[in-house]
Amino acid sequence: MTDQNPFAQMMKMGQDWARQMNPALESFTPKGFEQLWPTMPKEMMEAFMGRTLNPEGLDAKTRLLLTLTGLTILGAQAESQIRLTVRHAREAGATKQEIAETIAQAGMFGGVPAMTKAMELATDAMGEDTGKDTAR
């Protein structure tokens, strides 16, 4: 019997297997995956998740801000999803102020570390807003 943590052993076995299958996986990082997914146009988001098919329902911007709240409360662990959600929320009409307030409010439930991490990710995503009005 070993003193090593069984979870650590399982992780090491998985890493060894991945290294044998493809040595390039050792330096693989998922950061930047969201760049492979294009930002949907506002009209498309409104059609799929907004008021087009449900006129009395929530608009796409509100749904995306709610999604951002949930991702923040979960501890801001899903970095790509947060950046994608911020990018889509901006396209749907959310202002930088609305995004910051959404994350700050979520911090009341998810804690300061989650809020801080989400704010850093959102700031990074909003820094990529090259063609958008900076005050918006």
Side-chain angles (χ1 to χ4, degrees):
M1 186 163 219
T2 69
D3 291 334
Q4 190 174 12
N5 178 331
F7 182 73
Q9 287 178 318
M10 183 180 71
M11 289 299 293
K12 183 177 178 338
M13 286 174 38
Q15 290 166 344
D16 291 344
W17 175 79
R19 195 175 302 111
Q20 289 171 3
M21 294 297 288
N22 185 350
L25 288 176
E26 193 163 3
S27 62
F28 171 79
T29 177
K31 183 167 173 46
F33 261 18
E34 67 270 13
Q35 298 302 322
L36 298 174
W37 183 263
T39 303
M40 288 187 280
K42 180 178 182 175
E43 297 77 17
M44 180 183 277
M45 285 187 280
E46 200 58 49
F48 289 122
M49 62 179 137
R51 291 187 174 153
T52 301
L53 299 177
N54 186 11
E56 300 298 319
L58 297 172
D59 64 341
K61 178 180 96 169
T62 303
R63 288 179 190 271
L64 287 161
L65 292 174
L66 288 168
T67 301
L68 182 58
T69 298
L71 290 169
T72 301
I73 290 171
L74 287 172
Q77 299 173 36
E79 295 184 14
S80 292
Q81 289 85 342
I82 288 175
R83 284 191 290 267
L84 272 170
T85 301
V86 167
R87 204 169 81 203
H88 283 100
R90 293 283 290 148
E91 180 65 26
T95 65
K96 290 182 179 187
Q97 180 70 27
E98 288 171 327
I99 289 170
E101 287 181 21
T102 298
I103 292 170
Q105 180 67 34
M108 298 293 290
F109 301 96
V112 173
M115 178 188 71
T116 303
K117 181 65 175 177
M119 202 67 82
E120 289 172 2
L121 294 167
T123 300
D124 181 44
M126 289 187 291
E128 297 168 3
D129 284 349
T130 53
K132 297 200 182 307
D133 179 8
T134 55
R136 186 178 84 84

